[in-house]
Amino acid sequence: MLGISALGFIIIVIVFYEKRRVGRQIVYNAARSLISSAYKSAVRCAFNAAAESLHVTQPTLSKQLMDLEAELGKKLFERGKRKITLTEDGMFLRKRAQEIIDLSDKTEAAIKSSVQSVSGDVFIGCGETQGMRELIRVMKRVNVDYPEIRYNLYSGNDEDVSERLDNGLVDFGLFVGNTHLDKYDYKKFPVSDIWGLLIRKDDPLAQNETIKPADLDGVPILCSRQALTHNELSGWLGKDFGKLKIISTHNLVYNASLMVEEGFGVALSIKGLVNTFDTNLVFRPFEPLIKADLIIVWKKYQVFSKQAEIVLKYIQEYL
């Protein structure tokens, strides 16, 4: 009678031999379940049982075992009338064959695990914009497939974001409006922002549906430093933006909105940045309409972490 360990060995070595010799992947893939069932078998006829487990005939199995012994130049089995046992070389090969199968399983599992369990931080510098929702939707897609990726967001104007991007402190930067893109790779958002004014409801300008260039003459304006630095609205205004009555500058609009609420000027802003519902503030767009492009950028020739690579892939595919 064939011992259980010997039956398992026959399956392993034949699988190993067939895999190496002719690359029969189907035999190799079946080995795991075959080995398990063979070890659980109780009383089975020696070569007939092994042949059945391998789905080959008994003469084919016998020949393959003899071929293997001949190739290795070693006797692997002690064949008796009623049982078969492993020689010392056979036991050594059985151990190595099992290790090969185990290593294959572990390698496959490790590769799959490295794909499925990517973890770590991705850093994103963001200008203030409702268009951030587009990027958030991409981030949510990533999170579904890679739940262990975490995001670190830094809010600032394009100068702040660009500095952090150039210094390697963020992986991606979201820019609003005009910016210099020479040193970046980038992708434009499918949406854009709308420029206008944040005004108190009791301000005479609030009676207008839109704001025209002439409406700004002599009006105290709270201006974003980005708009001032890039002179973004000079074409619409018809003159240098700096010639307006600018009484304060800001990089983020929240504090500027408090100043407007207190009656200290009107604030140049992007539509939707400040929730005016149930407040004493209103937003009025410029006329003619001025749109600001939204652009996600990353450094050219950037060497990304694995998690940042994944986010970039999703940005390119879904944004």
Side-chain angles (χ1 to χ4, degrees):
M1 201 55 138
L2 182 67
I4 292 177
S5 60
L7 173 59
F9 168 72
I10 290 175
I11 295 174
I12 293 170
V13 295
I14 292 300
V15 168
F16 169 62
Y17 181 63
E18 288 296 294
K19 168 74 173 172
R20 179 176 56 81
R21 186 167 64 90
V22 295
R24 293 183 183 173
Q25 188 66 43
I26 187 170
V27 175
Y28 181 71
N29 290 341
R32 301 170 183 88
S33 59
L34 292 176
I35 292 170
S36 176
S37 63
Y39 271 76
K40 293 177 182 178
S41 298
V43 180
R44 306 179 70 178
C45 179
F47 286 103
N48 286 338
E52 179 185 342
S53 295
L54 287 168
H55 303 289
V56 297
T57 63
Q58 188 271 329
T60 299
L61 176 58
S62 297
K63 183 178 185 305
Q64 287 173 328
L65 286 173
M66 288 187 291
D67 289 344
L68 181 59
E69 287 179 315
E71 182 174 334
L72 296 176
K74 296 288 184 177
K75 188 176 182 180
L76 303 176
F77 303 99
E78 292 291 349
R79 295 169 174 83
K81 291 183 179 180
R82 298 182 59 83
K83 66 177 183 178
I84 182 171
T85 58
L86 299 176
T87 65
E88 184 176 344
D89 288 325
M91 294 178 64
F92 174 80
L93 182 57
R94 178 193 183 281
K95 182 175 182 294
R96 286 290 184 263
Q98 181 66 65
E99 289 173 355
I100 290 170
I101 296 292
D102 291 344
L103 180 60
S104 175
D105 288 344
K106 290 178 181 179
T107 302
E108 182 179 350
I111 292 174
K112 287 182 178 180
S113 174
S114 67
V115 171
Q116 295 170 355
S117 62
V118 173
S119 63
D121 296 316
V122 175
F123 299 85
I124 304 175
C126 312
E128 289 186 305
T129 169
Q130 279 288 324
M132 181 65 186
R133 294 181 184 276
E134 298 290 328
L135 182 57
I136 291 170
R137 293 183 186 111
V138 174
M139 293 160 63
K140 286 178 65 178
R141 281 181 176 268
V142 174
N143 188 249
V144 170
D145 296 333
Y146 302 92
E148 295 184 27
I149 291 180
R150 296 177 301 274
Y151 298 99
N152 294 267
L153 302 184
Y154 172 83
S155 295
N157 62 16
D158 71 330
E159 182 181 355
D160 302 326
V161 171
S162 181
E163 181 179 359
R164 296 181 76 86
L165 192 61
D166 294 343
N167 291 333
L169 300 177
V170 295
D171 300 303
F172 304 97
L174 173 55
F175 291 151
V176 180
N178 297 337
T179 192
H180 301 295
L181 298 172
D182 296 346
K183 53 188 174 181
Y184 303 121
D185 289 322
Y186 63 91
K187 185 171 184 179
K188 286 188 176 182
F189 280 40
V191 297
S192 56
D193 278 339
I194 296 174
W195 284 104
L197 285 185
L198 194 63
I199 312 168
R200 273 176 60 120
K201 288 181 178 178
D202 58 2
D203 190 300
L205 286 176
Q207 304 306 311
N208 301 338
E209 291 297 321
T210 59
I211 302 298
K212 299 177 181 179
D215 296 330
L216 297 182
D217 290 343
V219 174
I221 296 175
L222 315 175
C223 182
S224 73
R225 282 195 288 275
Q226 176 178 332
L228 187 61
T229 302
H230 293 303
N231 209 17
E232 294 201 34
L233 307 182
S234 60
W236 169 83
L237 190 61
K239 58 183 178 182
D240 191 320
F241 199 69
K243 293 182 179 181
L244 294 174
K245 186 179 179 180
I246 298 173
I247 62 172
S248 178
T249 64
H250 55 271
N251 68 331
L252 300 176
V253 76
Y254 177 73
N255 285 334
S257 71
L258 298 181
M259 296 171 74
V260 175
E261 282 191 292
E262 292 300 318
F264 191 38
V266 298
L268 181 68
S269 180
I270 294 292
K271 183 178 180 179
L273 288 188
V274 176
N275 183 5
T276 60
F277 179 75
D278 201 25
T279 72
N280 66 337
L281 300 177
V282 294
F283 176 85
R284 295 291 182 259
F286 290 137
E287 182 187 340
L289 196 67
I290 303 178
K291 293 185 177 182
D293 289 333
L294 306 178
I295 305 169
I296 184 78
V297 311
W298 55 95
K299 289 173 66 176
K300 289 184 176 180
Y301 316 115
Q302 173 75 9
V303 178
F304 284 114
S305 63
K306 184 65 176 179
Q307 59 269 23
E309 278 185 359
I310 290 170
V311 172
L312 176 59
K313 177 183 175 182
Y314 278 62
I315 286 172
Q316 292 173 325
E317 184 172 354
Y318 294 109
L319 189 59

